[in-house]
Amino acid sequence: MNRLSVIVPLLNEAARLPALVASLQGLRQRGAELLLADGGSSDGSPALLQAELPERIDAWVEAPRGRARQMNAAAAQASGDWLLFLHADTELPPGADALIRSCTERWGRFDVRIAGRSRWLPLVAWCMNRRSRWTGIATGDQAIFIERGLFEQLGGFPDQALMEDIELCKRLKARSLRPACLHAQVITSGRRWDERGALRTIVLMWQLRWRYWRGETAERLAEAYR
């Protein structure tokens, strides 16, 4: 692997931004590129990026709102040979770049641990990781990484309101390309489970995945997700 580009889509994450950027400086010092894609934040994130963080990031991209559109916009400006898509509330494991470099597959993801109050979250994470190994489908919470050339061949993330990560993985599976399932864990926020209730959120996510598998549009599912 040559250069790694880390792409983070943002929407109203000003409170998280300084810690997020600080956590990625080790990667930058080892040659990785950091691109943040803002989808029209109204919480002061753009001002923070312009005034306080320009020396600690490589690019700040303004994009139409929507995680897929934001990630695609940043990917178009990235210079790395590999792209790593990271949620703003997710922390990479130490040496993530070296772990990716050791892979022989053309794309992959990390195991996930969910940080939150609910006692159900360890089980949720375990199920996510096992399901991903079994199906070859990864979610954005698991920090998907992919060869830049392969990502471009696929046309990037599909322009849809939800399940863009699932759809990308389905297209990779159609090419018989299974992911590298790294055991190292990213730590992602369990705030959605904590705020909405763990069991309620688990049921909702399974319902959405079932409805998507049955052919319901991502736009209709996004309404239920909100």
Side-chain angles (χ1 to χ4, degrees), residues 69-225:
R69 292 177 178 179
Q70 292 168 237
M71 292 189 293
N72 285 340
Q77 295 193 24
S79 63
D81 303 286
W82 280 76
L83 307 175
L84 168 60
F85 297 97
L86 181 69
H87 288 183
D89 60 359
T90 301
E91 181 180 346
L92 290 170
D97 49 346
L99 294 170
I100 295 173
R101 189 175 293 113
S102 69
C103 293
T104 57
E105 293 86 351
R106 300 184 66 188
W107 75 287
R109 84 335 172 246
F110 294 87
D111 273 359
V112 66
R113 177 162 67 88
I114 306 173
R117 299 187 302 271
S118 174
R119 60 189 175 89
W120 291 99
L121 295 183
L123 178 61
V124 173
W126 184 87
C127 290
M128 288 173 62
N129 296 330
R130 295 294 295 177
R131 181 188 66 216
S132 180
R133 282 188 168 80
W134 178 53
T135 63
I137 300 292
T139 66
D141 289 326
Q142 294 172 300
I144 295 172
F145 53 89
I146 184 171
E147 288 181 358
R148 178 195 180 97
L150 177 58
F151 183 75
E152 292 176 345
Q153 289 173 23
L154 294 169
F157 285 102
D159 186 7
Q160 57 189 61
L162 197 68
M163 304 288 183
E164 75 286 340
D165 46 3
I166 305 300
E167 187 62 33
L168 179 73
C169 293
K170 287 172 62 177
R171 295 178 183 182
L172 288 161
K173 282 191 69 175
R175 296 185 175 215
S176 300
L177 295 171
R178 290 188 63 84
C181 296
L182 302 185
H183 287 282
Q185 294 179 337
V186 297
I187 302 173
T188 194
S189 170
R191 56 186 174 181
R192 177 175 291 273
W193 285 272
D194 287 340
E195 291 170 359
R196 301 190 177 186
L199 291 178
R200 178 184 175 189
T201 303
I202 292 168
V203 171
L204 173 63
M205 296 307 296
W206 276 104
Q207 288 176 339
L208 294 177
R209 290 174 70 90
W210 170 255
R211 289 163 61 183
Y212 188 66
W213 182 77
R214 292 290 302 271
E216 198 161 339
T217 67
E219 286 67 31
R220 287 192 62 183
L221 297 180
E223 295 176 5
Y225 183 69

